[in-house]
């Protein structure tokens, strides 16, 4: 192999004057007799090459290399700065790897430079670059441009450009399973001015070789979608790099889910306080206000959108409604407990209390009923079996016991259903 420019010049001149049958002998002599030199950087040689490419050949950076330039684009993800479901935006640190071919910058067929100068570097001030933009950006919409990033020009005319930065893009978030949610956001790259007739965009994919893990979101997968969009009478090519992230739920479980469930079950114990303590209504209102404040804190992190509703929000609203109903039930229980003894108990309330007592296995009604049955069995004459007698304090006690067990059962079933929904959606 002829390594130096001097050897190549000798070969070219001898080849021009010798007959074809002598060329194999000349090639063997050149490879064995001439001193071998490795390809090395030469300032004068590269300077001559640049003069040839940009001056002698009259290179014009405003002219496209081909009628339709094919540009391959790859997104190199470095880190996820933030993903806000409230603001519905994503901020990523990344750079694009853009490649295209410009035959005007090819010197692979020129033996003078092809070996000693395998590659040169330039900037966008001297070579043609595609006009591209991140169209779903929410902070800065404009043409990607950075004259400090060098462009690698290979001997075959392949140009590689890697502009980068921090891109803030819009992201339509799905809060149905918050805080066990998975979000898919995209970085959309589109030509600016050039139509799909002049430029063809092809997506290579997403490279995460240098990606730094985020403490809140776990990178799950990526995909690339190549589409077109209309701009007046023209059609512009675009590439969407779709990034899927899954929230790490440990922080939200400890700071949202667990306190929420504890507050939900705390309000149930208002029915365990005796009416004579004087604390029932105060306890009910305190737990209700605490849950209302917590509901405000949670909803501050959820976007105000009606496209989809968070299961957590539905759960909180149901618990809040149960808290309001528990206050009303507490007021009614206190009213029953402090009713005068000579006030008759309505029949519907008496029947409800007997049914509730059977469901809750309350002993006050059972004792009264057993006493009536024993009186009827010990009497010598037939005795009319009457309903067990209830007092207003017995009514209050039965209602408290029934409400307590009904609330516990309903909250337990509701909480288990919500948690199972979160777990299934997280691991599917």
């Amino acid at each position: 192999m002829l390594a130096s420019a001097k050897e190549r010049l000798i070969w070219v001149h001898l080849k021009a004057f010798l007959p074809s049958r002598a060329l194999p002998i000349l090639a063997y002599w050149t490879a064995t007799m001439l001193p071998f030199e490795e390809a090395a950087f030469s300032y004068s040689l590269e300077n001559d090459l640049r003069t040839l490419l940009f001056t002698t050949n009259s290179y014009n950076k405003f002219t496209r290399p081909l009628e339709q330039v094919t540009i391959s684009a790859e997104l190199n993800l470095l880190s996820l700065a933030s993903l806000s479901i409230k603001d519905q935006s994503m901020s990523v640190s990344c750079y694009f790897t853009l490649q295209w071919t410009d035959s005007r910058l090819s010197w692979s067929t020129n033996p003078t430079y092809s070996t000693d100068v395998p590659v040169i570097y330039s900037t966008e001030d001297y070579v043609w670059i595609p006009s591209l933009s991140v169209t779903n950006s929410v902070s800065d919409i404009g043409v990607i441009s950075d004259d400090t990033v060098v462009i690698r020009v290979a001997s075959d005319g392949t140009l590689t450009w890697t502009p980068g930065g921090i891109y803030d893009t819009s992201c339509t978030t799905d809060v149905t399973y918050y805080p066990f949610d998975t979000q898919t956001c995209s970085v959309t790259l589109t030509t600016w001015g050039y139509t799909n007739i002049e430029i063809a965009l092809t997506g290579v994919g997403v490279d995460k070789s240098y990606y730094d893990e985020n403490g809140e979101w776990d990178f799950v997968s990526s995909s690339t979608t190549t589409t077109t969009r209309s701009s007046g009478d023209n059609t512009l090519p675009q590439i969407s790099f779709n990034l899927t992230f899954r929230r790490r739920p440990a922080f939200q479980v400890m700071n949202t889910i667990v306190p929420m469930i504890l507050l939900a079950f705390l309000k149930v114990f208002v029915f365990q306080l005796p009416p004579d303590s004087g604390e029932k209504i105060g306890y009910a209102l305190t737990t209700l206000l605490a849950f209302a404040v917590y509901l405000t804190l949670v909803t501050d992190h959820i976007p105000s959108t009606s496209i989809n509703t968070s299961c957590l929000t539905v759960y909180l609203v149901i618990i809040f409604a149960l808290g309001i109903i528990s206050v009303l039930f507490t007021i009614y229980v206190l009213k029953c407990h402090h009713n005068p003894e000579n006030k008759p108990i309505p029949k519907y309330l008496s029947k409800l209390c007997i049914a509730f007592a059977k469901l809750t296995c309350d002993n006050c009604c059972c004792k009264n009923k057993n006493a009536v049955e024993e009186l009827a069995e010990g009497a010598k004459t037939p005795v009319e079996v009457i309903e067990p007698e209830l007092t207003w304090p017995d009514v209050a006690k039965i209602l408290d016991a029934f409400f307590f067990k009904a609330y516990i059962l309903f909250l337990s079933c509701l909480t288990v259903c919500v948690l199972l929904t979160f777990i299934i959606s997280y691991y599917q």
Side-chain angles (χ1 to χ4, degrees):
M1 179 179 180
L2 303 180
S4 67
K6 181 179 180 181
E7 295 174 12
R8 286 193 295 271
L9 290 175
I10 295 173
W11 170 265
V12 171
H13 289 296
L14 290 177
K15 183 179 177 181
F17 293 100
L18 290 177
S20 60
R21 60 178 178 270
L23 291 180
I25 301 174
L26 177 63
Y28 174 78
W29 174 81
T30 306
T32 55
M33 302 301 294
L34 291 179
F36 177 77
E37 297 180 7
E38 294 184 355
F41 172 79
S42 172
Y43 170 80
S44 59
L45 196 63
E46 182 172 334
N47 189 56
D48 292 342
L49 175 61
R50 290 180 180 274
T51 303
L52 173 65
L53 295 176
F54 296 103
T55 304
T56 305
N57 294 343
S58 301
Y59 184 88
N60 189 346
K61 72 172 186 176
F62 298 104
T63 305
R64 297 193 316 277
L66 298 170
E67 181 180 358
Q68 185 185 52
V69 184
T70 301
I71 299 174
S72 64
E74 181 183 37
L75 179 68
N76 302 88
L77 187 62
L78 300 178
S79 64
L80 174 66
S82 65
L83 201 168
S84 174
I85 63 172
K86 181 175 177 59
D87 299 331
Q88 300 195 61
S89 64
M90 177 188 67
S91 178
V92 291
S93 176
C94 61
Y95 65 91
F96 298 100
T97 300
L98 306 174
Q99 282 190 346
W100 66 95
T101 300
D102 192 338
S103 59
R104 298 172 298 176
L105 299 176
S106 175
W107 66 92
S108 59
T109 58
N110 190 332
T112 306
Y113 309 102
S114 59
T115 302
D116 289 337
V117 187
V119 63
I120 62 174
Y121 293 90
S122 184
T123 63
E124 62 182 51
D125 294 331
Y126 300 97
V127 299
W128 178 89
I129 61 171
S131 179
L132 303 174
S133 174
V134 178
T135 54
N136 62 338
S137 175
V138 296
S139 60
D140 184 19
I141 299 178
V143 177
I144 297 177
S145 176
D146 192 346
D147 55 3
T148 62
V149 178
V150 295
I151 301 175
R152 189 178 189 271
V153 184
S155 60
D156 60 351
T158 301
L159 284 79
T160 304
W161 186 35
T162 57
I166 299 177
Y167 297 97
D168 299 323
T169 61
S170 60
C171 178
T172 303
T173 55
D174 185 1
V175 297
T176 303
Y177 301 109
Y178 172 85
F180 294 84
D181 52 330
T182 300
Q183 307 295 340
T184 300
C185 303
S186 62
V187 179
T188 303
L189 191 66
T190 311
T191 59
W192 191 281
Y194 290 106
T195 66
N196 59 350
I197 299 177
E198 291 88 26
I199 289 181
L201 286 178
T202 60
V204 177
V206 177
D207 182 20
K208 51 170 294 189
S209 302
Y210 303 100
Y211 175 70
D212 292 332
E213 293 292 336
N214 185 271
E216 183 180 1
W217 295 91
D218 182 27
F219 182 82
V220 178
S221 62
S222 62
S223 62
T224 304
T225 305
T226 302
T227 57
T228 59
R229 68 185 184 93
S230 300
S231 177
D233 297 333
N234 299 320
T235 303
L236 308 180
Q238 69 177 13
I239 302 175
S240 295
F241 298 96
N242 306 311
L243 309 175
T244 301
F245 298 94
R246 180 186 292 125
R247 187 189 300 274
R248 302 179 189 269
F251 177 83
Q252 297 295 337
V253 167
M254 298 301 297
N255 293 274
T256 302
I257 302 297
V258 173
M260 176 188 64
I261 295 176
L262 294 178
L263 279 176
F265 280 92
L266 187 62
K267 64 174 67 273
V268 177
F269 289 91
V270 67
F271 300 113
Q272 291 293 92
L273 289 176
D276 292 330
S277 64
E279 299 293 335
K280 286 180 72 71
I281 192 66
Y283 180 88
L285 291 175
T286 300
T287 55
L288 179 63
L289 292 176
F291 200 84
V293 172
Y294 189 76
L295 178 63
T296 304
L297 295 177
V298 172
T299 53
D300 283 343
H301 295 83
I302 301 178
S304 54
T305 175
S306 298
I307 298 177
N308 42 60
T309 304
S310 172
C311 293
L312 181 63
T313 302
V314 176
Y315 180 80
L316 291 175
V317 170
I318 294 175
I319 300 303
F320 187 70
L322 290 176
I324 295 176
I325 296 173
S326 69
V327 174
L328 300 178
F329 283 163
T330 301
I331 294 174
Y332 184 75
V333 168
L334 290 175
K335 178 178 179 298
C336 292
H337 180 77
H338 292 94
N339 275 336
E341 296 181 359
N342 57 356
K343 182 178 180 179
I345 300 175
K347 290 184 179 181
Y348 74 91
L349 184 58
S350 177
K351 292 181 179 180
L352 280 177
C353 288
I354 294 173
F356 290 165
K358 291 179 180 179
L359 292 174
T360 58
C361 299
D362 194 89
N363 294 325
C364 62
C365 290
C366 296
K367 290 179 179 179
N368 293 335
K369 184 175 182 180
N370 291 335
V372 173
E373 291 177 352
E374 291 175 359
L375 178 62
E377 292 177 357
K380 296 180 180 180
T381 58
V383 178
E384 182 181 359
V385 179
I386 60 176
E387 294 292 333
E389 294 182 0
L390 290 175
T391 61
W392 283 111
D394 291 336
V395 171
K397 182 180 179 182
I398 293 172
L399 291 178
D400 267 340
F402 174 76
F403 291 149
F404 175 77
K405 294 186 177 180
Y407 263 63
I408 284 288
L409 180 62
F410 182 79
L411 280 179
S412 299
C413 294
L414 180 63
T415 303
V416 169
C417 291
V418 171
L419 292 179
L420 285 177
T421 302
F422 285 152
I423 294 174
I424 293 174
S425 66
Y426 186 76
Y427 290 103
Q428 67 180 3

